[in-house]
Amino acid sequence: MIVAQQKPVSEIAQMISDCKKVLFLGCAGCVTVCLAGGEKETDVLASAIRIKRTLESNPLEATTFTCTRQCDPEYIVGIDNLVKDVDAIVSLACGVGVQYLAERFKDKWVVPALDTKFIGGSVVHGLWEEKCGLCGECILHRTGGICPIIRCSKSILNGPCGGSQHGKCEVDKDVDCAWQLIYDRMRALGKLDKLMEIQPIKDWSKSRDGGPRKAIREDVMIDE
């Protein structure tokens, strides 16, 4: 999932300091799971900024709503009536949601309430960890399901560096050496021979090159 964190209230308030009527728009997707932009967080943020503005003698009329998802245009179509009379939209979604809102509501000031951090998952309640580097060409079948691009501090793809000690990374003693984890995993699976195979140089053009990437499934596309 996409993991995000809320910006400081003061920073968000500054973005809309000259607005009198604002829609705070949450997202029931990833940012709800990571406790950053769901219905509860949206209501709390709106209340906090409303109180701040009242104390500053600059009252704010705040409306809240939480979409099923902000990263699908079909789910933001239904908020047209909520948006028409506001000066700004504060999006509690990832950067994708903010951009979709800005594209649909071209006459509205759309600002982000969250900082989008990474793609990851929950370790324990309240702790999320990055797991995927969005490289565009998954190699997890070669590394026992452990991603060296993200899990290795140096993103080394052909084995460990010379700095790891006792299974820990030289960059941070609290970080496991990804290649130690990969070795242990492949050994347990009886597939150490796979690590000896010569791998081609990674094609990084599939990661981030030539503008926004697209994924197309023509079999499910609907002609407009």
Side-chain angles (χ1 to χ4, degrees):
M1 68 178 175
I2 293 174
V3 178
Q5 293 179 344
Q6 191 178 113
K7 292 175 177 290
V9 171
S10 59
E11 182 179 338
I12 302 168
Q14 181 60 35
M15 297 179 195
I16 54 171
S17 60
D18 59 346
C19 300
K20 300 300 183 183
K21 188 172 182 179
V22 174
L23 170 63
F24 290 80
L25 190 65
C27 178
C30 302
V31 294
T32 290
V33 180
C34 66
L35 309 179
E39 183 177 2
K40 176 183 176 181
E41 293 77 26
T42 301
D43 289 343
V44 170
L45 176 63
S47 295
I49 294 183
R50 190 187 298 114
I51 292 170
K52 184 178 189 300
R53 290 279 293 267
T54 299
L55 294 174
E56 296 170 347
S57 299
N58 183 20
L60 173 69
E61 183 178 346
T63 304
T64 64
F65 184 75
T66 300
C67 291
T68 301
R69 286 196 299 274
Q70 289 188 35
C71 59
D72 279 329
E74 63 190 275
Y75 290 113
I76 61 176
V77 169
I79 67 169
D80 288 1
N81 289 335
L82 295 174
V83 171
K84 63 180 182 179
D85 295 326
V86 302
D87 303 317
I89 306 170
V90 175
S91 172
L92 283 85
C94 68
V96 177
V98 178
Q99 292 182 73
Y100 270 140
L101 290 172
E103 289 174 6
R104 179 167 182 81
F105 304 108
K106 292 181 171 58
D107 62 334
K108 300 299 181 182
W109 179 235
V110 181
V111 302
L114 307 183
D115 292 321
T116 306
K117 294 297 186 178
F118 52 77
I119 300 292
S122 176
V123 180
V124 295
H125 187 69
L127 173 62
W128 297 270
E129 184 175 79
E130 188 172 16
K131 293 291 186 182
C132 177
L134 304 174
C135 74
E137 185 183 34
C138 191
I139 60 171
L140 291 175
H141 59 293
R142 302 175 187 164
T143 57
I146 298 166
C147 178
I149 294 172
I150 287 303
R151 305 288 292 278
C152 172
S153 299
K154 302 175 184 178
S155 298
I156 296 176
L157 301 179
N158 57 357
C161 70
S164 60
Q165 295 289 328
H166 307 297
K168 296 296 182 180
C169 175
E170 68 173 345
V171 173
D172 186 335
K173 63 180 178 59
D174 293 325
V175 174
D176 292 326
C177 170
W179 278 99
Q180 183 67 59
L181 296 175
I182 292 169
Y183 176 85
D184 292 343
R185 169 76 171 156
M186 296 298 269
R187 182 177 61 181
L189 292 171
K191 294 184 179 294
L192 282 178
D193 58 307
K194 297 290 186 182
L195 296 181
M196 300 302 295
E197 295 177 0
I198 297 175
Q199 303 297 340
I201 296 174
K202 185 166 178 59
D203 182 2
W204 287 104
S205 69
K206 297 178 180 180
S207 174
R208 191 69 187 88
D209 184 71
R213 291 177 284 179
K214 295 181 180 179
I216 300 175
R217 278 280 305 277
E218 294 183 357
D219 59 310
V220 297
M221 294 182 70
I222 300 175
D223 294 330
E224 296 183 356

